[in-house]
Amino acid sequence: MFADNLILRIPGPTPIPPRVQQAMNRPMIGHRSGQFSELFMRTAERLKPAFGTSQDVYIVAGSGTSALEMGVVNTLQAGDEAAVLVSGAFGERFAKICERYGITAHRLQVEWGDAVTPELLTPFLQEHPNVKAVFATHCETSTGILNPIKELARVVREQTDALFIVDAVSCLGAVPVEMDAWGIDILVTGSQKAFMLPTGLAFIAASERAWKVIDEQTPQAFYLDLKAYRKSFADQTTPYTPAVSLVFGLEEVCAMIEEEGLPAIFKRHELMRDMTRAAMRALQLPLMAADEYASPTVTSIHPGNAFDPEALRKTLRNKHNVVIAGGQAHLKGKIFRIGHMGYCEPLDVIQVISAVEMSLRQIGVEVPLGEGVKAAQEVLIKHV
Ligand SMILES: *Cc1c(COP(=O)(O)O)cnc(C)c1O
């Protein structure tokens, strides 16, 4: 095995395309130079289609959570109430950020593996008429479900004047997101998932409705003050030193997205989801998410008592150089998760399924070799 040929199939960080890696190796330039400003402005412009917005998209040096925190701290104050839709670890993170700032988080909690539906949200918002914002997770990475954001946005609009704030860190760029058309007020994502970059950039866009709220307050944070990013953006730069090399890479990512085209990218991810799910079913491994809410970017498998997912992960890593993810929080040691997003193609999915089959055999699980691969192949050949 080549140590540098790690097969990374976790839901972020994801593999970096060679041309993006190369772009990031370019010599450093001055961050207050005309050269950087031009790069920055043309790159920020090219993010808009993936966000489905005509608003400016701000680029922050930070991991995805920094943008989640921006969504909270710029819109709410201590003493305010918020509704937080919690379908897993990342929904819970939004609630914790709220609470850190003294905001009351009313959690609409569903079983991990389930999605938040409009039928659940409508009465919940009626019970909590004073919420000023509703926080939602688009792809709940910890369970592999994709919440129906478009439908949830409609409920928020119909029921309240609250802002609708969405974490799309693990799916933006891989699934359709229409910020303006759906009525999302703040949309955030990060660089190390479907955006095929290392960790280190966060992205955030705000609607006009959101800006009205943001403009009325001074956030209890300095680095995360969104108004500072808007002010600097007007001067074609960032308020603090930008992650220049990551922006070099980002420009290349934008080129790759434009070359493949968003519709083709969305189809590729759906195909990889369908292949992965067909394979797991063929191997009789229980899927966490229902078909209707299964994320195109990550698949969670819950083997029950059939075997220890941590033993599977260890064998994949040690014998095959393949890395998949385990469970988070109370699902630690209970599930495994396969990431299939970003720089990942259908044949890569065949590879990871094949490695999962062999590793299961190697830990003593009697799966029929090739059955999962075959099921995935059957799905793939229908599409190429
Ligand atoms: C990865 C992820 C984040 C951000 O995590 P960071 O470690 O801060 O980059 C937030 N939300 C979701 C849904 C994620 O998958």
Side-chain angles (χ1 to χ4, degrees):
M1 290 194 304
F2 298 116
D4 68 349
N5 192 23
L6 194 66
I7 298 158
L8 197 59
R9 293 288 162 247
I10 57 177
T14 60
I16 314 294
R19 59 189 275 196
V20 174
Q21 191 78 57
Q22 259 169 14
M24 292 188 297
N25 287 343
R26 275 158 50 186
M28 190 48 57
I29 58 174
H31 69 298
R32 299 298 182 219
S33 63
Q35 200 181 351
F36 180 76
S37 283
E38 278 167 31
L39 165 75
F40 181 65
M41 297 313 283
R42 68 174 183 258
T43 305
E45 188 65 26
R46 290 161 86 180
L47 293 171
K48 290 178 177 179
F51 278 70
T53 189
S54 59
Q55 301 292 336
D56 292 327
V57 179
Y58 302 102
I59 303 173
V60 181
S63 88
T65 305
S66 64
L68 266 61
E69 190 155 345
M70 278 179 131
V72 174
V73 75
N74 286 280
T75 55
L76 298 173
Q77 299 282 346
D80 284 343
E81 291 180 41
V84 186
L85 317 188
V86 181
S87 51
F90 290 101
E92 180 57 28
R93 184 171 296 179
F94 252 151
K96 287 205 175 108
I97 297 170
C98 286
E99 286 166 350
R100 179 65 58 91
Y101 286 102
I103 297 150
T104 302
H106 299 292
R107 288 171 175 75
L108 170 48
Q109 186 102 40
V110 296
E111 284 281 316
W112 287 35
D114 289 348
V116 179
T117 59
E119 293 71 35
L120 292 169
L121 183 57
T122 301
F124 188 78
L125 291 178
Q126 287 164 354
E127 275 168 44
H128 301 287
N130 298 324
V131 301
K132 290 190 171 166
V134 179
F135 293 90
T137 314
H138 197 179
C139 171
E140 178 47 79
T141 325
S142 61
T143 65
I145 64 106
L146 195 71
N147 281 300
I149 291 298
K150 181 183 178 185
E151 289 74 23
L152 296 174
R154 190 180 308 134
V155 171
V156 174
R157 272 291 189 280
E158 282 169 7
Q159 299 287 330
T160 75
D161 292 327
L163 297 178
F164 190 46
I165 299 174
V166 175
D167 164 2
V169 173
S170 62
C171 62
L172 201 146
V175 308
V177 187
E178 293 292 340
M179 175 172 161
D180 296 352
W182 295 355
I184 297 171
D185 291 299
I186 293 186
L187 182 60
V188 305
T189 194
S191 52
Q192 80 273 28
K193 312 257 168 114
F195 267 88
M196 311 184 281
L197 284 165
T199 316
L201 293 183
F203 307 95
I204 181 164
S207 70
E208 266 158 40
R209 266 164 50 89
W211 275 115
K212 281 204 187 93
V213 174
I214 296 165
D215 278 329
E216 279 166 11
Q217 46 194 302
T218 302
Q220 292 305 304
F222 182 84
Y223 187 72
L224 301 178
D225 181 348
L226 198 50
K227 287 197 281 277
Y229 287 81
R230 180 181 57 184
K231 184 168 180 289
S232 294
F233 197 87
D235 297 331
Q236 309 198 331
T237 190
T238 54
Y240 319 109
T241 310
V244 175
S245 299
L246 290 170
V247 180
F248 286 148
L250 179 62
E251 185 180 38
E252 201 60 30
V253 166
C254 290
M256 287 181 71
I257 291 174
E258 288 157 12
E259 285 163 25
E260 187 178 1
L262 284 171
I265 293 172
F266 301 156
K267 278 215 180 92
R268 171 166 55 85
H269 284 87
E270 285 170 11
L271 177 57
M272 295 193 294
R273 171 197 62 198
D274 294 346
M275 289 169 65
T276 307
R277 291 172 67 81
M280 295 305 131
R281 286 204 165 104
L283 297 171
Q284 310 207 335
L285 300 179
L287 297 162
M288 272 199 93
D291 284 341
E292 194 184 354
Y293 298 115
S295 174
T297 57
V298 53
T299 298
S300 290
I301 296 99
H302 200 314
N305 294 324
F307 58 89
D308 173 13
E310 291 306 302
L312 169 67
R313 292 204 316 128
K314 217 171 272 165
T315 302
L316 276 167
R317 176 69 185 88
N318 295 338
K319 302 229 184 259
H320 306 285
N321 234 6
V322 173
V323 187
I324 63 169
Q328 290 172 273
H330 66 277
L331 293 178
K332 207 176 168 80
K334 301 223 157 63
I335 67 168
F336 65 94
R337 295 176 296 149
I338 299 172
H340 33 79
M341 74 177 102
Y343 194 58
C344 183
E345 296 194 274
L347 273 185
D348 297 321
V349 172
I350 301 274
Q351 179 189 48
V352 70
I353 293 164
S354 166
V356 165
E357 289 179 349
M358 292 187 287
S359 299
L360 284 171
R361 272 292 187 85
Q362 287 170 301
I363 63 168
V365 184
E366 283 306 316
V367 290
L369 286 183
E371 287 294 315
V373 166
K374 177 166 177 274
Q377 288 172 328
E378 299 282 5
V379 174
L380 175 55
I381 55 174
K382 280 196 214 116
H383 288 84
V384 290

PDB file of all heavy atoms in Angstrom, residues 4 68 72 76 99 122 130 137 215 260 262 339:
ATOM      1  N   ASP A   4       0.699   7.375   0.811  1.00  0.00           N
ATOM      2  CA  ASP A   4       0.091   8.638   0.370  1.00  0.00           C
ATOM      3  C   ASP A   4      -1.115   8.399  -0.545  1.00  0.00           C
ATOM      4  O   ASP A   4      -1.635   9.326  -1.141  1.00  0.00           O
ATOM      5  CB  ASP A   4       1.126   9.534  -0.321  1.00  0.00           C
ATOM      6  CG  ASP A   4       1.603   8.959  -1.648  1.00  0.00           C
ATOM      7  OD1 ASP A   4       1.306   7.778  -1.939  1.00  0.00           O
ATOM      8  OD2 ASP A   4       2.274   9.684  -2.397  1.00  0.00           O
ATOM      9  N   LEU A  68     -21.505  29.016  11.163  1.00  0.00           N
ATOM     10  CA  LEU A  68     -22.697  28.725  11.974  1.00  0.00           C
ATOM     11  C   LEU A  68     -22.814  29.782  13.075  1.00  0.00           C
ATOM     12  O   LEU A  68     -23.891  30.334  13.325  1.00  0.00           O
ATOM     13  CB  LEU A  68     -22.583  27.335  12.626  1.00  0.00           C
ATOM     14  CG  LEU A  68     -23.205  26.132  11.916  1.00  0.00           C
ATOM     15  CD1 LEU A  68     -22.597  25.907  10.561  1.00  0.00           C
ATOM     16  CD2 LEU A  68     -23.086  24.877  12.763  1.00  0.00           C
ATOM     17  N   VAL A  72     -25.700  32.914  14.083  1.00  0.00           N
ATOM     18  CA  VAL A  72     -26.357  33.132  15.378  1.00  0.00           C
ATOM     19  C   VAL A  72     -26.071  34.541  15.893  1.00  0.00           C
ATOM     20  O   VAL A  72     -26.977  35.311  16.206  1.00  0.00           O
ATOM     21  CB  VAL A  72     -25.871  32.092  16.418  1.00  0.00           C
ATOM     22  CG1 VAL A  72     -26.432  32.407  17.803  1.00  0.00           C
ATOM     23  CG2 VAL A  72     -26.263  30.677  15.986  1.00  0.00           C
ATOM     24  N   LEU A  76     -29.202  37.484  16.532  1.00  0.00           N
ATOM     25  CA  LEU A  76     -29.913  37.365  17.805  1.00  0.00           C
ATOM     26  C   LEU A  76     -29.077  37.951  18.937  1.00  0.00           C
ATOM     27  O   LEU A  76     -27.851  38.064  18.833  1.00  0.00           O
ATOM     28  CB  LEU A  76     -30.204  35.884  18.097  1.00  0.00           C
ATOM     29  CG  LEU A  76     -31.104  35.150  17.088  1.00  0.00           C
ATOM     30  CD1 LEU A  76     -31.162  33.675  17.425  1.00  0.00           C
ATOM     31  CD2 LEU A  76     -32.502  35.740  17.052  1.00  0.00           C
ATOM     32  N   GLU A  99     -27.166  28.870  22.919  1.00  0.00           N
ATOM     33  CA  GLU A  99     -27.151  28.914  24.386  1.00  0.00           C
ATOM     34  C   GLU A  99     -25.906  29.604  24.913  1.00  0.00           C
ATOM     35  O   GLU A  99     -25.954  30.307  25.914  1.00  0.00           O
ATOM     36  CB  GLU A  99     -27.305  27.493  24.933  1.00  0.00           C
ATOM     37  CG  GLU A  99     -28.749  27.015  24.748  1.00  0.00           C
ATOM     38  CD  GLU A  99     -28.972  25.534  24.938  1.00  0.00           C
ATOM     39  OE1 GLU A  99     -27.980  24.781  25.038  1.00  0.00           O
ATOM     40  OE2 GLU A  99     -30.135  25.107  24.954  1.00  0.00           O
ATOM     41  N   THR A 122     -44.813  22.877  11.669  1.00  0.00           N
ATOM     42  CA  THR A 122     -45.950  23.802  11.758  1.00  0.00           C
ATOM     43  C   THR A 122     -46.466  23.944  13.197  1.00  0.00           C
ATOM     44  O   THR A 122     -46.488  25.067  13.727  1.00  0.00           O
ATOM     45  CB  THR A 122     -47.073  23.359  10.792  1.00  0.00           C
ATOM     46  OG1 THR A 122     -46.525  23.349   9.472  1.00  0.00           O
ATOM     47  CG2 THR A 122     -48.261  24.298  10.846  1.00  0.00           C
ATOM     48  N   ASN A 130     -42.705  33.365  19.660  1.00  0.00           N
ATOM     49  CA  ASN A 130     -41.773  34.489  19.844  1.00  0.00           C
ATOM     50  C   ASN A 130     -40.390  34.267  19.257  1.00  0.00           C
ATOM     51  O   ASN A 130     -39.502  35.082  19.460  1.00  0.00           O
ATOM     52  CB  ASN A 130     -41.637  34.811  21.339  1.00  0.00           C
ATOM     53  CG  ASN A 130     -42.970  35.249  21.911  1.00  0.00           C
ATOM     54  OD1 ASN A 130     -43.758  35.926  21.242  1.00  0.00           O
ATOM     55  ND2 ASN A 130     -43.260  34.830  23.135  1.00  0.00           N
ATOM     56  N   THR A 137     -30.512  22.305   9.705  1.00  0.00           N
ATOM     57  CA  THR A 137     -29.356  21.663   9.078  1.00  0.00           C
ATOM     58  C   THR A 137     -29.862  21.024   7.789  1.00  0.00           C
ATOM     59  O   THR A 137     -30.843  20.283   7.828  1.00  0.00           O
ATOM     60  CB  THR A 137     -28.803  20.563  10.005  1.00  0.00           C
ATOM     61  OG1 THR A 137     -28.719  21.087  11.333  1.00  0.00           O
ATOM     62  CG2 THR A 137     -27.436  20.103   9.553  1.00  0.00           C
ATOM     63  N   ASP A 215     -28.441  44.779  10.640  1.00  0.00           N
ATOM     64  CA  ASP A 215     -28.075  46.198  10.707  1.00  0.00           C
ATOM     65  C   ASP A 215     -28.578  46.889  11.969  1.00  0.00           C
ATOM     66  O   ASP A 215     -28.103  47.960  12.314  1.00  0.00           O
ATOM     67  CB  ASP A 215     -28.599  46.935   9.462  1.00  0.00           C
ATOM     68  CG  ASP A 215     -27.671  46.761   8.277  1.00  0.00           C
ATOM     69  OD1 ASP A 215     -26.438  46.619   8.495  1.00  0.00           O
ATOM     70  OD2 ASP A 215     -28.156  46.733   7.128  1.00  0.00           O
ATOM     71  N   GLU A 260     -18.118  20.979 -15.150  1.00  0.00           N
ATOM     72  CA  GLU A 260     -19.031  19.827 -15.047  1.00  0.00           C
ATOM     73  C   GLU A 260     -20.484  20.289 -15.113  1.00  0.00           C
ATOM     74  O   GLU A 260     -21.330  19.617 -15.724  1.00  0.00           O
ATOM     75  CB  GLU A 260     -18.777  19.057 -13.739  1.00  0.00           C
ATOM     76  CG  GLU A 260     -19.576  17.760 -13.634  1.00  0.00           C
ATOM     77  CD  GLU A 260     -19.283  16.975 -12.353  1.00  0.00           C
ATOM     78  OE1 GLU A 260     -18.465  17.443 -11.527  1.00  0.00           O
ATOM     79  OE2 GLU A 260     -19.885  15.896 -12.184  1.00  0.00           O
ATOM     80  N   LEU A 262     -23.565  22.381 -12.589  1.00  0.00           N
ATOM     81  CA  LEU A 262     -24.264  21.986 -11.350  1.00  0.00           C
ATOM     82  C   LEU A 262     -25.258  20.847 -11.561  1.00  0.00           C
ATOM     83  O   LEU A 262     -25.284  19.906 -10.757  1.00  0.00           O
ATOM     84  CB  LEU A 262     -24.943  23.200 -10.698  1.00  0.00           C
ATOM     85  CG  LEU A 262     -23.998  24.162  -9.943  1.00  0.00           C
ATOM     86  CD1 LEU A 262     -24.733  25.437  -9.542  1.00  0.00           C
ATOM     87  CD2 LEU A 262     -23.387  23.494  -8.715  1.00  0.00           C
ATOM     88  N   GLY A 339     -18.676   8.520   3.150  1.00  0.00           N
ATOM     89  CA  GLY A 339     -18.800   9.804   2.459  1.00  0.00           C
ATOM     90  C   GLY A 339     -18.648   9.588   0.963  1.00  0.00           C
ATOM     91  O   GLY A 339     -17.792   8.810   0.519  1.00  0.00           O
TER      92      GLY A 339
END
